[in-house]
Amino acid sequence: MNQKKIILTGDRPTGPLHIGHYVGSLQNRVALQHEYNQFVMIADVQALTDNAENPEKVRDNVLQVALDYLAVGIDPQVTTIFIQSMVPEIAELTMFFLNLVTVARLQRNPTVKDEIRQKGFEESVPAGFLCYPVSQAADITIFKANIVPVGADQVPVLEQTVELVRSFNRIYGQILVEPQAVVPKEGCGRLPGLDGQAKMGKSLGNAIFLSDSADLVTKKIMGMFTDPDHLRVEDPGKIEGNMVFAYLDVFDQDKERVAELKAHYQRGGLGDVKVKRHLNDIMQAFLTPIRERRAQFAQDPDSVTSMLKTGTEKARQVAAQTMGEVRRAMKINYF
Ligand code: TRP
């Protein structure tokens, strides 16, 4: 018997992953993978809820996301990495969950509301998109996950999962497990964008991707938002809202040196270019081994596909087991 607690997380394959994903979740997955029974899902079905007309984009990014996972050290020997659409039991459970939620409740989910606004869907929101929290509840509960590490924006989605589990278990019996959302501590886990926006986003043009070339990383760092009023080197500069220091806080392990640089910058006499060069050294040291591992895996896409196939087969077995229990509980196990 495997007594380890179960973690399930996932990413929509709509683009390669960036250093914000690393700070917010990937590094935790690497750290937790031995202690927990961890499932990591490439959520292609969820990606299609707002990309129905871009199947190539979703397909291509399944491989890109898998490469990012392997590059940062998520180990397929201990973590089950799988593709959502290839576990059709999840879609089956979604159908049954849909009977336990009202349209009004779906429309009230604040995360979905925000996303509808951001994506400009307004009156033309796809039904599948409106229902993605229900499908996500199926992702989670079919694996009886105890813990779901997510960004703070996903908390309302997890609340809906818990409601669905309670309704299901009240009506059909204690089959499903209530999951707990684990959100990064305040201040940690969210890396701002290169431009100083609160969030680093795939589509915001303010990200450093794990797959970016060394030159591109340098170019992005040299263009980062600092203190717009720091015009001459001799002038005192501001740390607050200065992305170069925000990133040094996260990535430079030598905290004393960071403190010295900050003091010097605030006093005046330290130029932006110099601090940026230092950040560039730190980021290259962090990203180079990731990029090299990624390139190695990318040379052999067949072995990545075969890793995904193995993970998906394992995930499917677990999902099928839960669906057996669900069908019995719902009295639809005819033969
Ligand atoms: N909605 C999540 C996101 O956009 C991705 C996701 C899909 C997920 N299924 C999940 C996260 C299940 C955690 C658990 O980031």
Side-chain angles (χ1 to χ4, degrees):
M1 256 286 273
N2 192 345
Q3 301 287 6
K4 287 181 181 172
K5 284 201 171 176
I6 299 168
I7 292 187
L8 182 126
T9 60
D11 299 285
R12 295 178 192 172
T14 51
L17 302 181
H18 51 63
I19 57 174
H21 292 117
Y22 183 86
V23 171
S25 64
L26 297 173
Q27 65 176 350
N28 270 328
R29 297 181 196 174
V30 176
L32 297 176
Q33 62 187 343
H34 293 281
E35 204 180 318
Y36 292 85
N37 185 7
Q38 179 167 255
F39 293 85
V40 175
M41 180 180 69
I42 305 183
D44 61 339
V45 174
Q46 191 173 113
L48 284 164
T49 62
D50 64 328
N51 282 285
E53 289 172 30
N54 296 304
E56 308 80 13
K57 171 176 149 190
V58 173
R59 186 188 174 96
D60 292 347
N61 281 305
V62 169
L63 179 67
Q64 296 307 313
V65 169
L67 287 171
D68 288 330
Y69 289 163
L70 296 170
V72 298
I74 296 179
D75 177 359
Q77 300 296 329
V78 286
T79 294
T80 306
I81 305 174
F82 69 98
I83 303 176
Q84 185 182 23
S85 65
M86 299 302 277
V87 183
E89 286 80 3
I90 297 173
E92 195 184 345
L93 184 56
T94 303
M95 285 306 291
F96 300 136
F97 277 171
L98 281 168
N99 302 327
L100 305 178
V101 64
T102 64
V103 174
R105 175 68 182 91
L106 289 166
Q107 287 169 332
R108 247 193 341 262
N109 183 310
T111 308
V112 177
K113 266 172 127 169
D114 278 354
E115 284 174 290
I116 287 173
R117 219 172 297 125
Q118 275 166 27
K119 294 173 198 287
F121 279 148
E122 268 84 52
E123 293 308 303
S124 61
V125 50
F129 188 78
L130 192 65
C131 296
Y132 95 70
V134 178
S135 143
Q136 190 159 323
D139 301 338
I140 295 165
T141 54
I142 211 159
F143 296 100
K144 301 198 174 173
N146 307 100
I147 293 169
V148 183
V150 280
D153 61 312
Q154 291 285 305
V155 168
V157 179
L158 265 290
E159 282 167 5
Q160 251 189 305
T161 301
V162 170
E163 285 174 30
L164 282 162
V165 170
R166 289 189 182 155
S167 301
F168 185 98
N169 286 352
R170 177 174 51 77
I171 302 167
Y172 304 113
Q174 293 291 318
I175 305 289
L176 302 177
V177 175
E178 279 184 32
Q180 201 188 333
V182 175
V183 179
K185 276 193 239 76
E186 194 66 49
C188 315
R190 171 164 286 198
L191 194 67
L194 295 165
D195 54 359
Q197 279 199 66
K199 198 176 165 180
M200 180 171 283
K202 269 182 272 216
S203 52
L204 300 171
N206 65 0
I208 293 177
F209 294 95
L210 297 169
S211 47
D212 280 347
S213 70
D215 286 351
L216 188 53
V217 171
T218 303
K219 203 170 142 218
K220 287 180 175 178
I221 289 173
M222 291 329 253
M224 271 173 89
F225 183 81
T226 58
D227 170 5
D229 300 323
H230 188 231
L231 299 177
R232 285 172 310 179
V233 174
E234 325 70 274
D235 291 342
K238 264 208 317 282
I239 303 298
E240 214 175 283
N242 187 322
M243 290 307 105
V244 178
F245 287 102
Y247 284 30
L248 282 176
D249 278 337
V250 175
F251 290 100
D252 190 347
Q253 298 316 316
D254 188 343
K255 300 301 168 201
E256 242 171 73
R257 180 173 54 193
V258 176
E260 275 165 31
L261 285 170
K262 282 182 180 172
H264 192 178
Y265 192 82
Q266 282 173 311
R267 211 168 50 234
L270 179 59
D272 279 12
V273 172
K274 212 161 173 188
V275 199
K276 282 178 172 172
R277 287 219 182 98
H278 173 60
L279 177 64
N280 185 52
D281 290 343
I282 299 282
M283 295 311 293
Q284 298 292 355
F286 163 65
L287 287 167
T288 301
I290 294 177
R291 186 186 311 112
E292 284 173 357
R293 268 199 304 274
R294 200 180 190 284
Q296 246 169 10
F297 287 114
Q299 272 179 4
D300 190 1
D302 287 349
S303 83
V304 179
T305 304
S306 123
M307 175 282 287
L308 287 170
K309 187 159 177 272
T310 307
T312 302
E313 279 161 4
K314 203 168 139 208
R316 197 164 177 198
Q317 269 176 19
V318 177
Q321 160 88 29
T322 305
M323 270 324 284
E325 295 170 36
V326 164
R327 294 183 137 270
R328 212 171 311 125
M330 293 182 69
K331 310 202 181 301
I332 53 173
N333 57 333
Y334 302 106
F335 30 75

